[in-house]
Amino acid sequence: MQIIDKVAWLHLHQGLVLSTRSRGKDRYYFPGGKREAGETDAQTLIREIREELTVTLTPESLRYLGTFEAQAHGHAEGVLVRMLCYAADYSGTLQPAAEIAELAWLTYQDRPRVSAVDQLIFDWLREQGQLAD
């Protein structure tokens, strides 16, 4: 079994959660990405969010929210993605960069438009009363 190790930023505002769609992709994903050799969760997340969304996460505000695991979208059966999720404050203006084609603020109704692991997170956020229907 193969596991893809990813770190994600869960950013909510008034019951909506920030999501991104990469160029050429048909699903939305939480912003973040894969760890580079030797990186901590915080280093990975800060680097990825700066690259993808042009904002700077505030390191001391990082809060671990949970780890979620599911079949990786677009990969062979048995390839899983393990997503370590964090909340954090940021500075700057959110805008798509690098491979990101679009930013979107999603509700629970958008659940079918996201990857399998993100669907688990959508369920969890709804159970926590943080994600609007």
Side-chain angles (χ1 to χ4, degrees):
M1 182 174 302
Q2 181 184 349
I3 295 180
I4 299 169
D5 175 37
K6 294 183 105 177
V7 184
W9 182 39
L10 302 187
H11 181 59
L12 290 111
H13 180 72
Q14 297 180 345
L16 305 174
V17 67
L18 180 65
S19 194
T20 59
R21 187 182 57 77
S22 296
R23 287 179 181 78
K25 302 286 185 175
D26 63 348
R27 298 278 175 162
Y28 287 88
Y29 299 86
F30 288 117
K34 296 177 189 169
R35 184 186 321 271
E36 291 183 356
E39 279 186 327
T40 65
D41 290 357
Q43 290 167 332
T44 301
L45 198 57
I46 290 166
R47 176 184 52 76
E48 286 284 346
I49 298 307
R50 186 178 307 120
E51 289 172 4
E52 294 180 354
L53 303 176
T54 73
V55 298
T56 302
L57 297 183
T58 308
E60 58 274 10
S61 73
L62 280 171
R63 298 175 310 284
Y64 173 76
L65 299 175
T67 299
F68 301 85
E69 194 171 280
Q71 171 65 37
H73 181 72
H75 289 266
E77 189 66 33
V79 177
L80 303 178
V81 61
R82 178 177 298 141
M83 187 100 67
L84 288 83
C85 299
Y86 290 83
D89 298 330
Y90 71 95
S91 60
T93 302
L94 292 166
Q95 54 188 353
E99 74 273 12
I100 303 302
E102 177 187 3
L103 302 181
W105 291 95
L106 305 180
T107 68
Y108 192 75
Q109 296 302 311
D110 295 302
R111 186 180 182 275
R113 301 169 63 194
V114 303
S115 69
V117 72
D118 287 16
Q119 288 181 5
L120 293 176
I121 299 164
F122 267 51
D123 294 343
W124 179 78
L125 288 169
R126 187 178 189 212
E127 289 167 12
Q128 301 294 310
Q130 296 186 51
L131 187 59
D133 286 337

